[in-house]
């Protein structure tokens, strides 16, 4: 491998002031929102402003055998964009332009660094929107959403990122630029490499552009339901009853008692009833009011205390409670934020498993769920003084990982998956083969080598090479 000083000299000669080696930049590149930080010090942060900057960086990396970790806003929750010792952090955050909007074709072409919220604010002027709606929409980038295969609050009705991307422009490890996918509604020429790149977490290439599938702004009313239940299992049964009714809400979010209490404390709201769980549901479109009334009837029939609002501002206030989950968890201690999914009918059983894990391991696991699609976010809270690691690396203590292992295996037993939207990153790579099986795990690992023969793209993430 080429000495670090020589790699730095090559980067500075080619990219000048876009190469940042300040202590603050290097330290920031080591961590994301997962609570995990990579070991050691990155070589440099390259703040790319163009496709050419990305290509130049990767050509230097390939010629010198230097690992590269692509990074957007750093809001990931699996350690997937954390940059470690001797690695180049390739930031595409400054590549944030909207290159094209075609209202007639319902598409937009954007750079990866644009924030979800900024994109939709601009699209609203055209009567359009991009449906993926992660809780972190105000701070997460489109490129990061594509890298992790993100989801969010609206997926049950409007789909996940994979459903909303027509094509991607990707720079391979050796600097070649590929334009994958299409601008047409239909397109089945060759293998679907666009879908392969979505959710690949920077292991196949660097996404430098995306052609997005847009929707018209939804006309009609927006109705919001807040329903409380005596416990989380009752709320999970209620959410399953809504799904079974055939009514399709735009949003259906579940908060257990511990998460609800933490958010109310953070936002200085009145304390909720001890033990109570809450469903927050929104309906939209021309039939919103009728659907909301029908859902309210379903919830009352299974024991819910229901409040229904037709006011958009009140609806946003109620959703702010859900969107404040992660900041609220930070007030409780260091958090391992997890991301299992199960079939929607299995939500009550999964909450039973979470309660069992809490009892048997003696810990508290505040949990929220995108109940409309069966995606749960259990939060393992621990005292940071009990964590291990050096050089700023946060490692959850063994008893937390033992509880997480128990919970992951419970989700798999129920027909679920290890991650619905956060990705594998560093935190879940040890369980990947348990879900995929040895043959599929090996096949996927071999695919990464086709795209990246030297293994320099995001090494140590997802697959251990």
């Amino acid at each position: 491998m080429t000495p670090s000083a020589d790699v730095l000299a090559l980067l500075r000669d080619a990219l000048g002031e876009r190469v940042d080696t300040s202590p603050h930049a290097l330290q920031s590149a080591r961590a994301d929102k997962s609570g995990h930080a990579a070991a050691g010090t990155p070589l440099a942060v390259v703040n790319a402003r163009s496709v050419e900057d990305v290509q130049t960086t990767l050509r230097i990396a390939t010629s010198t055998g230097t690992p590269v970790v692509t990074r957007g806003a750093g809001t990931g929750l699996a350690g997937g964009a954390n940059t470690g010792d001797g690695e180049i952090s390739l930031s595409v955050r400054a590549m944030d332009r909207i290159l094209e909007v075609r209202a007639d074709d319902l598409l937009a072409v954007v750079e990866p660094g644009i924030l979800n919220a900024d994109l939709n604010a601009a699209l609203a002027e055209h009567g359009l929107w991009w449906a993926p709606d992660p809780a972190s929409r105000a701070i997460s980038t489109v490129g990061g959403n594509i890298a992790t295969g993100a989801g969010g609050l609206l997926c049950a009705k409007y789909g996940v990122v994979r459903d909303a991307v027509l094509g991607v422009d990707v720079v391979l490890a050796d600097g070649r630029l590929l334009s994958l996918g299409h601008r047409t509604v239909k397109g089945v020429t060759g293998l679907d490499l666009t879908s392969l790149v979505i959710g690949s977490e920077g292991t196949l290439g660097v996404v430098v552009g995306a052609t997005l599938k847009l929707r018209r702004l939804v006309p009609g009313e927006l109705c919001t339901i807040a329903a409380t239940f005596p416990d989380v299992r009752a709320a999970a049964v209620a959410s399953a009853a809504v799904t079974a009714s055939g009514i399709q809400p735009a949003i259906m979010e579940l908060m257990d008692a511990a998460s609800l209490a933490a958010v109310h404390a953070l936002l200085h709201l009145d304390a909720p009833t001890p033990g109570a769980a809450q469903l927050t549901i929104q309906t939209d479109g021309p039939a919103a009011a009728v659907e909301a009334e029908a859902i309210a009837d379903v919830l009352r029939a299974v024991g819910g205390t229901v409040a229904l609002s037709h006011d958009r501002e009140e609806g946003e206030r109620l959703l702010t409670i859900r969107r404040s989950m992660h900041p609220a968890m930070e007030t409780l201690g260091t958090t391992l934020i997890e991301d299992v999914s199960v079939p929607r009918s299995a939500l009550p059983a999964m909450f039973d498993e979470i309660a069992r894990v809490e009892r048997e391991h003696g810990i508290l696991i505040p949990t929220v769920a995108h109940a409309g699609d069966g995606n749960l976010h259990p939060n393992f809270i621990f005292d940071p003084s009990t964590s291990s690691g050096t050089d700023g690396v946060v490692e959850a203590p063994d008893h937390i990982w033992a509880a997480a292992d128990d919970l992951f295996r419970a989700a798999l037993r129920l027909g679920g998956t290890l991650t619905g939207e956060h990705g594998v990153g560093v935190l879940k790579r040890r369980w990947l083969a348990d879900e995929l099986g040895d043959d599929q795990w090996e096949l996927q690992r071999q695919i990464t080598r086709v795209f990246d023969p030297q293994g320099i793209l995001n090494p140590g993430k997802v697959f251990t090479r």
Side-chain angles (χ1 to χ4, degrees):
M1 183 178 292
T2 304
S4 296
D6 294 343
V7 178
L8 267 178
L10 290 169
L11 289 171
R12 286 179 170 139
D13 183 59
L15 297 164
E17 48 85 26
R18 291 186 287 287
V19 180
D20 189 349
T21 57
S22 66
H24 173 73
L26 298 181
Q27 185 69 13
S28 297
R30 296 177 56 228
D32 62 4
K33 293 289 187 180
S34 69
H36 180 85
T41 303
L43 178 66
V45 176
V46 174
N47 295 300
R49 296 176 186 166
S50 66
V51 175
E52 291 75 18
D53 287 349
V54 173
Q55 290 179 292
T56 296
T57 302
L58 290 178
R59 287 176 184 136
I60 292 171
T62 290
S63 68
T64 59
T66 308
V68 177
V69 178
T70 309
R71 190 173 175 88
T75 60
L77 292 166
N82 295 353
T83 313
D85 197 44
E87 298 176 339
I88 298 169
S89 178
L90 176 54
S91 172
V92 295
R93 179 66 183 87
M95 297 173 62
D96 61 357
R97 295 177 300 163
I98 299 174
L99 303 176
E100 183 181 1
V101 176
R102 289 295 302 261
D104 52 350
D105 286 328
L106 291 178
L107 67 81
V109 181
V110 304
E111 292 183 321
I114 190 167
L115 300 180
N116 292 67
D118 291 348
L119 171 61
N120 275 324
L123 291 176
E125 299 176 9
H126 301 271
L128 303 170
W129 66 303
W130 193 53
D133 181 37
S136 59
R137 64 182 181 178
I139 57 174
S140 65
T141 65
V142 169
N145 294 169
I146 291 171
T148 58
L153 278 64
L154 291 164
C155 338
K157 185 170 184 178
Y158 294 107
V160 295
V161 165
R162 194 179 304 279
D163 303 308
V165 177
L166 292 170
V168 289
D169 297 329
V170 180
V171 178
L172 299 182
D174 60 9
R176 285 178 292 163
L177 175 65
L178 300 183
S179 291
L180 308 178
H182 43 80
R183 294 169 63 95
T184 54
V185 175
K186 296 178 180 178
V188 294
T189 307
L191 300 178
D192 187 358
L193 296 183
T194 300
S195 290
L196 185 62
V197 168
I198 296 169
S200 62
E201 302 185 50
T203 62
L204 302 182
V206 179
V207 174
V208 292
T211 302
L212 306 178
K213 183 192 299 184
L214 306 180
R215 293 176 177 268
R216 305 281 181 198
L217 288 174
V218 180
E221 198 172 1
L222 188 69
C223 300
T224 307
I225 300 166
T228 56
F229 296 85
D231 55 55
V232 70
R233 195 182 201 284
V237 168
S239 72
V242 172
T243 299
S245 75
I247 307 166
Q248 180 63 77
I251 292 173
M252 184 157 61
E253 295 293 302
L254 191 159
M255 300 183 73
D256 73 356
S259 61
L260 192 62
V263 171
H264 275 236
L266 175 74
L267 300 179
H268 305 291
L269 303 174
D270 291 340
T273 302
Q278 179 170 302
L279 279 176
T280 304
I281 300 173
Q282 275 194 344
T283 59
D284 62 358
V290 173
E291 291 177 341
E293 291 289 354
I295 289 172
D297 288 342
V298 171
L299 298 176
R300 292 188 186 102
V302 291
T305 301
V306 179
L308 194 161
S309 173
H310 297 265
D311 182 80
R312 283 180 177 264
E313 289 188 6
E314 174 65 8
E316 280 305 306
R317 187 191 71 79
L318 290 169
L319 283 180
T320 296
I321 294 175
R322 166 60 184 89
R323 295 185 192 279
S324 300
M325 174 64 178
H326 293 315
M329 291 301 97
E330 291 173 358
T331 68
L332 301 182
T334 300
T335 309
L336 176 65
I337 305 168
E338 281 308 336
D339 173 40
V340 297
S341 285
V342 296
R344 287 171 287 192
S345 62
L347 264 180
M350 190 63 215
F351 275 104
D352 287 344
E353 290 289 348
I354 292 170
R356 177 189 62 77
V357 172
E358 286 182 315
R359 288 193 308 271
E360 294 182 2
H361 294 265
I363 61 173
L364 181 67
I365 309 175
T367 301
V368 297
H370 304 308
D373 57 31
N375 187 190
L376 303 97
H377 296 310
N379 292 260
F380 296 81
I381 310 295
F382 60 93
D383 182 345
S385 67
T386 67
S387 64
S388 59
T390 57
D391 194 26
V393 179
V394 176
E395 283 291 347
D398 289 344
H399 75 278
I400 292 292
W401 281 120
D405 176 86
D406 196 350
L407 190 147
F408 296 159
R409 296 185 189 282
L412 295 179
R413 285 196 303 272
L414 291 171
T417 179
L418 293 168
T419 176
E421 56 189 7
H422 292 171
V424 174
V426 171
L427 298 186
K428 285 187 172 173
R429 62 188 178 186
R430 73 183 82 171
W431 290 278
L432 189 59
D434 291 333
E435 178 173 339
L436 298 181
D438 291 340
D439 289 342
Q440 187 183 168
W441 183 91
E442 178 59 24
L443 180 60
Q444 292 198 22
R445 190 193 67 81
Q446 289 177 20
I447 289 171
T448 66
R449 285 301 180 97
V450 172
F451 280 76
D452 174 24
Q454 287 183 269
I456 65 170
L457 294 180
N458 219 3
K461 314 293 173 45
V462 186
F463 299 98
T464 51
R465 311 197 199 205

